[in-house]
Amino acid sequence: MNDKIASLLNQQINKELYSAYLYLHIANYYDEMDLDGYANYYMIQAQEERDHALLFLKYMQNNGLKVTFEAIDQPDGKYDSPLAPLEHAAEHERYVTSLINDIYHACHEGKDYRTMKFLDWFVDEQMEEEDNADSMVNRYKLFGIDPKGLYSLDQEYAARVYSAPSLVL
């Protein structure tokens, strides 16, 4: 594996940990608003992102690569409505997709087919993450303005349970 790919993978570990931190921040926002379902949804998102970081970490370790942890930035985001964090999360998922695409592109250029195969799961995962984030924004815009609609959405998100990533290294 070339140094550029190794560096991008290492950076992705830190980006995934930032994502977990961001989703904890969003979960806390919803908890403070007594929207427990939305808080639950983002607590689970935080767990998923942490697990994504661990998958990248294990992949690097399995390939004998040095891992360097960096400081995790504080999430920015003071939200003025329940919609704002949803939009922030959707934007963030598009950003993470761009990061995965950049690593994939570097692997293609470097003919690192093993890492491309590893990244295939993340490509699929990001498609799902973007779809879920966009759906949450759209559903809030359609139903969340009405208190009964918001209550119903919140109850739906309260039912979400954690499911560990299916990628096996």
Side-chain angles (χ1 to χ4, degrees):
M1 179 180 307
N2 70 41
D3 290 343
K4 178 180 179 180
I5 295 168
S7 176
L8 288 170
L9 290 172
N10 195 96
Q11 289 172 27
Q12 192 63 31
I13 292 170
N14 291 289
K15 297 293 185 180
E16 297 289 344
L17 292 171
Y18 171 80
S19 295
Y21 201 37
L22 172 65
Y23 291 143
L24 286 174
H25 175 71
I26 292 174
N28 188 59
Y29 169 81
Y30 285 122
D31 183 72
E32 290 173 354
M33 294 189 69
D34 289 326
L35 290 171
D36 298 336
Y38 280 90
N40 175 63
Y41 185 93
Y42 281 102
M43 287 296 289
I44 291 171
Q45 278 304 110
Q47 289 176 294
E48 283 188 7
E49 301 302 340
R50 180 199 56 114
D51 283 350
H52 295 170
L54 294 176
L55 290 170
F56 278 100
L57 172 71
K58 191 65 178 166
Y59 182 79
M60 289 187 70
Q61 290 172 337
N62 287 347
N63 284 278
L65 300 169
K66 180 178 170 44
V67 174
T68 304
F69 294 101
E70 299 170 5
I72 301 171
D73 292 334
Q74 180 178 1
D76 54 341
K78 294 189 180 185
Y79 306 117
D80 58 1
S81 74
L83 176 60
L86 299 176
E87 292 175 328
H88 188 194
E91 178 185 322
H92 182 73
E93 288 300 338
R94 287 187 287 278
Y95 169 68
V96 172
T97 297
S98 76
L99 296 172
I100 299 295
N101 289 343
D102 289 346
I103 302 169
Y104 205 94
H105 179 72
C107 290
H108 185 265
E109 284 184 338
K111 297 183 179 182
D112 185 344
Y113 303 114
R114 179 174 39 184
T115 303
M116 288 171 67
K117 184 169 177 49
F118 166 73
L119 290 171
D120 283 342
W121 184 88
F122 289 96
V123 170
D124 292 342
E125 176 71 5
Q126 280 310 119
M127 184 169 57
E128 180 184 323
E129 295 289 1
E130 282 190 46
D131 184 54
N132 289 340
D134 289 340
S135 177
M136 288 183 80
V137 169
N138 292 335
R139 294 178 81 210
Y140 183 88
K141 287 179 179 178
L142 286 171
F143 310 114
I145 306 302
D146 173 65
K148 289 181 183 176
L150 180 59
Y151 177 79
S152 185
L153 288 172
D154 193 56
Q155 293 300 301
E156 180 182 329
Y157 297 135
R160 184 181 187 204
V161 295
Y162 179 67
S163 177
S166 59
L167 181 64
V168 178
L169 298 179

